[in-house]
Amino acid sequence: MRGVVLNGPGDVAVVDRDDPRIEKPTDAIIKMAAACVCGSDLWPYRGIEKTGGPAVMGHEYVGVVEQIGAEVKNVKAGDFVVGSFFASDNTCEICRAGYQSRCVHAELMGAIGTQAEYARIPLADGTLVATPGMPDDDLIPSLLAASDVLGTGWFAAVAAEAGPGRTVAVVGDGAVGLLGVLAAKQLGAERIVVFSRHSDRQKLAIEFGATDIITERGDDGVTALKDLLGGLGAHSVIEAVGTQESMMQAIRATRPGGHVGYVGVSHDVRLPGDELFFSAVHLHGGPAPVRRFLPELIDLIWNRRIDPGKVFDRTLPLEDAAEGYKAMDERRAIKTLLRP
Amino acid sequence: MRGVVLNGPGDVAVVDRDDPRIEKPTDAIIKMAAACVCGSDLWPYRGIEKTGGPAVMGHEYVGVVEQIGAEVKNVKAGDFVVGSFFASDNTCEICRAGYQSRCVHAELMGAIGTQAEYARIPLADGTLVATPGMPDDDLIPSLLAASDVLGTGWFAAVAAEAGPGRTVAVVGDGAVGLLGVLAAKQLGAERIVVFSRHSDRQKLAIEFGATDIITERGDDGVTALKDLLGGLGAHSVIEAVGTQESMMQAIRATRPGGHVGYVGVSHDVRLPGDELFFSAVHLHGGPAPVRRFLPELIDLIWNRRIDPGKVFDRTLPLEDAAEGYKAMDERRAIKTLLRP
């Protein structure tokens, strides 16, 4: 099969890879309907995150089950399925508490590489959720979004306790931040403020439910937010970047007793204990337990109540993956969908 | 009046200070029934926290109202009162959300110095809670504990979401950690594990409701805890020290999706973002909003359902404050009560 590899910083290639096969009786093989490039794929692409030589890429996926292992019971060949970027058994104590991304048997899909024609899905029963039927083609981007960026934005909004009567601020205007806006709106937030300086992203944020845009960032952004809100920070802040600046911006933008939901993968972040202590905020985040939310998200998409697929503003054949990475790196695209 | 000052590291003196007087119509003056030395007082005593020259000391207090300002309505002369270490208006948006320690008009009682015969209490209506009547003498230590260490341990247990069906681990066996045990027990925790290597503190922890003691600390303590709990960390972890080691111990002792309630005042702590991210814990803490809990805590003490005053294992006249500090610094005492 064909699949994407990153040979080194900036060097994306589509190469022949071995077809995946059932390795354990709990595996399934899926034929990819669509894959995509994640903001987190840009860390190694930019050389900020080191990879040891050529690495398979991709951890978001939707597709049709081709084959199942002997112990798989919840999905069957022919099902259209969505899964999370962490495979999980969905039965252990951690999964049952809703933290499937930290399942005691969790496997990272990035190591399998779903920017490819096929993929092996470990722990298929606990990982995959079948849609009610074969989706219309226009639903595929939204279902693919559920696999990571929507699920991650949704988790961030839940972690930030977005809800009725609450003001939500969103740090990060990438796909996850924008879908954090959508999630906050769905969860009933009263006011949604987005930090963004890109007009295309501002436009989509407003379409998803943002009520206010702030173009300043860092401490200037915090000052602008407090001016907007009459002196206090937001009740809920979503952090979807993962840098020192964005984390401190999120913490400082939150009122005492408020909630920060952070999902940007932390890179070189060191949180000062004294400032965190006196901020009196709640801090929760990490790799999103997307599996927790998949049934609800699939239902919302299937019934066309949300359209998260709008974050894909570029669609390319899998063979053109290199251009997909480049467009996102240069901010010419919010998110690239790859068609195998 | 007589009052404690810290002239410099290790140098505690009791000196003549000006009698406090009503400065604002929202003030009250109280005559101290008892004051005490806090674990946090040891930071400047040990020279770890710098003070600019001689500093008044003490922020915990119970006593009888002597005089009130023209606008004070909720307490009157003759009332026996308990207050928090932060004065708060208890009416602003932050107070109403339960974060009185971060009231928009908060004043730190440590700057007033309650290790003295009298003290001015700002924002008396929002800060002080009157007991149902004049307390029996044996209740005074427990009411004094409510002013900070009990309220702080209680907040830590609430922040850590201690409750039925949950295992709680407690990092720190000082007065706050021990009262975190008491709080976790009252909140219905199923199992309470304390990290402690001091037999007197272990004994009190068990009296307050601890079910298990671990003598290792740091990463060895985390390993011992996970061995005890069958591989996973605790659901809820109370952090009551404030060092890098204790914070990391608390985070590592918590299972994914679990809750850390941290109340040790952070000193030179830098939390690594990547480890925090993948820990997937909830982190909440800061200066405890003791005022939120005071009515409930006073009720529990008044009805003799809890006896937090047991953390005072040394009682001295105010004039002997220096020995009170020394005994705590040398761990000869858990907590020293000072009688003016």
Side-chain angles (χ1 to χ4, degrees), chain A residues 141-298:
Chain A
S142 287
L143 291 167
L144 178 60
S147 178
D148 181 352
V149 281
L150 173 61
T152 296
W154 198 276
F155 170 60
V158 168
E161 302 214 344
R166 291 177 69 105
T167 293
V168 180
V170 181
V171 180
D173 62 359
V176 171
L178 292 169
L179 291 171
V181 171
L182 180 151
K185 175 74 178 173
Q186 285 291 317
L187 293 166
E190 186 170 296
R191 192 170 184 179
I192 304 170
V193 186
V194 179
F195 295 97
S196 174
R197 47 180 65 181
H198 302 92
S199 62
D200 54 334
R201 295 165 188 231
Q202 292 172 357
K203 193 165 156 269
L204 197 48
I206 286 165
E207 210 171 316
F208 283 156
T211 54
D212 303 85
I213 303 283
I214 291 177
T215 54
E216 292 90 347
R217 64 187 203 186
D219 286 346
D220 291 342
V222 172
T223 303
L225 179 76
K226 290 187 176 175
D227 286 349
L228 188 70
L229 303 182
L232 297 174
H235 300 97
S236 301
V237 178
I238 291 172
E239 191 284 336
V241 182
T243 62
Q244 184 74 22
E245 182 185 72
S246 65
M247 280 298 280
M248 295 317 297
Q249 181 178 342
I251 291 165
R252 290 169 185 162
T254 309
R255 65 178 56 193
H259 292 73
V260 178
Y262 69 102
V263 292
V265 183
S266 299
H267 284 79
D268 294 326
V269 171
R270 290 285 176 277
L271 300 181
D274 47 355
E275 181 169 351
L276 191 64
F277 183 85
F278 287 102
S279 75
V281 303
H282 297 75
L283 199 59
H284 182 45
V290 172
R291 179 63 184 80
R292 189 204 307 177
F293 307 108
L294 274 182
E296 181 183 0
L297 299 180
I298 290 172

Side-chain angles (χ1 to χ4, degrees), chain B residues 28-36 59-66 72 74-76 78-88 90 100 109 114 119-136 139-152 289-302 306 308-309 312:
Chain B
I29 304 296
I30 66 167
K31 182 175 197 299
M32 217 60 70
C36 53
H59 52 265
E60 298 153 288
Y61 55 98
V62 288
V64 177
V65 176
E66 284 264 318
V72 174
N74 298 346
V75 295
K76 60 182 187 306
D79 281 354
F80 191 93
V81 290
V82 187
S84 156
F85 56 93
F86 267 108
S88 57
N90 211 26
Q100 291 90 341
M109 291 302 300
T114 60
R120 180 179 68 86
I121 313 296
L123 303 165
D125 272 350
T127 305
L128 298 173
V129 179
T131 56
M134 204 51 61
D136 292 337
L139 285 183
I140 286 179
S142 287
L143 292 167
L144 178 61
S147 178
D148 180 353
V149 281
L150 173 61
T152 295
V290 171
R291 178 64 183 81
R292 188 205 306 177
F293 306 107
L294 275 182
E296 181 183 359
L297 299 181
I298 290 172
D299 185 71
L300 287 170
I301 293 165
W302 198 261
I306 59 174
F312 293 105

